[in-house]
Each structure stands twice: as structure tokens, then as C-alpha cells.
Amino acid sequence: VKKMIEEIAAKKEIKNVSFVGCGGSLACFFAPHYYVTHEAKTLTTLYENANEFTNDTPAFINENAIVVCASRRGNTPQTVEAAKKAKECGATVIGLQLETGTPLEEICDYIVQFKDTGADGALYEESQIAYETVNVVEHNTETYEKMVAATKKMNDIIPAAVKACVPDAVKFSVDYANDDIIYTMGSGTGYAGAHQQTICIFMEMQW
């Protein structure tokens, strides 16, 4: 990812990095988007549903933009159309996907393949795209180095946290299995986790 962003920066001035997708793939982009909005001083960003992006494309999606699109199987119709629209506007398009030989990779300038880890395999790459882009544009070295160090710890921290939560998760499922309404709430980058829990876990997989 680092080499990819440096290669793009060598070819053009980057003024915007936008994140586009549908459902859980879009929700996974919230943390990278949050990072750019809070750490970048000049670089702009967008976090947008793919269909909205295609039909109401901002003017700043042009030759100075990077548009990052995610689709686990690389075939989500709205995301594929969004990638096409971004290309038409002159943007450099990065695709994130689990599968290979997909419609998405036929359109994108760059493809990042991620592995299915049982959680969200693309989270590391998505975050890296954000902090590498901010660094290459604005040279925020101190914050960048902290992000690099922090992300290296993710593969240890996240599985340990998941394991530690299992007893509470089991108790919660037993205690509230028959409730009519379950609210999920989150703030900051945790908003995306709450969003995914609602639409991907509860609504798609449980009910």
C-alpha cells in the first residue's frame, strides 16, 4: 500500500481521497475517513454510499482525487458503477476485494487483495491507505509513525479482545435473545462497528 500511494503521488498532486462502497464494505471505510478528517489539514475526503456517489458526484472528484472502492466479491453493481464514474472524472481508483477475476478489478487502476480473517480482513489496508496518503501529501511524520506502530499491534490486540469478550457475548445472547428491540450505539470510529453490528450481524445473519 505504501508503495502504491507513493507511486500515485509521483504521478499527480493529490488533493482528495474518497471512500465509496455499500453496506458493511462502506462501514469499514469510516475509520480511515475519520482519520483523514481529523488529521489532514489540506487533504479533503468523502465517505459515501456508492449509488449516491455515482448519481451525485462532487466536483472535487477529478484528476487530483483518489477514490477507494470496496466490495468483498468485487461484483457489487453499485460499487462497480461508482468505480466507473470515478474513472470518468479522472480520479485514480483503488479497489479492495477478497475474490480475484472480478468486474471491479477490470476498472480500477490498483487492486488490493485482502484475506478473510473472520472479522474484516480489509480493515488494515483501508486504514493504511488513509494514513499513507495523508503522510505523503502533508508529511505529518510524528502522527504517521504513531499510526504505523499502532497498526502493527492490531493482529495481536484484536484477537485477544475478541477472545476476552466471548463470555460476556454469550451471556448477552442468552439474556436478551427474546427482546423485541436491540439498539446498537457507537461514537468516533466505534460508530462503524455499531453500524456493522446492526446491518451485517443482527439484520442479515441473525434475523
Side-chain angles (χ1 to χ4, degrees):
V1 170
K2 179 179 175 66
K3 182 180 178 181
M4 175 182 69
I5 298 300
E6 290 174 345
E7 183 176 304
I8 296 170
K11 295 177 181 178
K12 68 179 188 180
E13 181 182 8
I14 302 170
K15 295 182 179 181
N16 171 271
V17 56
S18 292
F19 302 96
V20 177
C22 295
S25 294
L26 175 62
C28 290
F29 279 141
F30 189 76
H33 167 74
Y34 185 95
Y35 178 83
V36 178
T37 59
H38 286 70
E39 298 298 336
K41 296 178 180 178
T42 60
L43 186 70
T44 62
T45 185
L46 176 73
Y47 170 82
E48 188 73 278
N49 172 275
N51 201 41
E52 291 286 340
F53 177 88
T54 301
N55 291 286
D56 191 16
T57 314
F60 54 71
I61 302 299
N62 54 33
E63 66 276 5
N64 297 119
I66 295 174
V67 175
V68 191
C69 302
S71 170
R72 284 179 65 84
R73 292 181 174 81
N75 63 355
T76 307
Q78 297 88 344
T79 304
V80 172
E81 287 303 311
K84 290 179 181 177
K85 182 67 176 183
K87 288 278 286 186
E88 290 172 6
C89 293
T92 299
V93 183
I94 300 172
L96 287 92
Q97 61 180 22
L98 177 66
E99 307 292 343
T100 58
T102 71
L104 187 63
E105 70 184 57
E106 294 177 6
I107 300 162
C108 294
D109 299 291
Y110 298 90
I111 283 290
V112 177
Q113 296 287 152
F114 62 86
K115 297 179 181 179
D116 192 345
T117 62
D120 177 21
L123 181 59
Y124 179 83
E125 287 85 357
E126 291 167 347
S127 297
Q128 189 179 10
I129 289 170
Y131 67 71
E132 293 290 354
T133 304
V134 174
N135 184 57
V136 80
V137 172
E138 302 188 9
H139 310 290
N140 64 335
T141 307
E142 184 178 352
T143 302
Y144 171 76
E145 290 177 351
K146 289 179 180 178
M147 282 297 295
V148 172
T151 51
K152 286 180 179 178
K153 300 175 183 178
M154 286 173 61
N155 288 336
D156 294 324
I157 293 173
I158 294 175
V162 170
K163 184 177 180 180
C165 288
V166 168
D168 287 337
V170 172
K171 186 177 185 305
F172 179 93
S173 67
V174 172
D175 291 346
Y176 299 102
N178 296 319
D179 277 28
D180 293 328
I181 299 175
I182 296 178
Y183 293 96
T184 56
M185 295 179 287
S187 61
T189 56
Y191 164 79
H195 185 192
Q196 285 183 300
Q197 182 70 28
T198 301
I199 65 171
C200 298
I201 307 301
F202 286 148
M203 297 177 74
E204 289 184 11
M205 299 181 185
Q206 303 301 320
W207 297 325

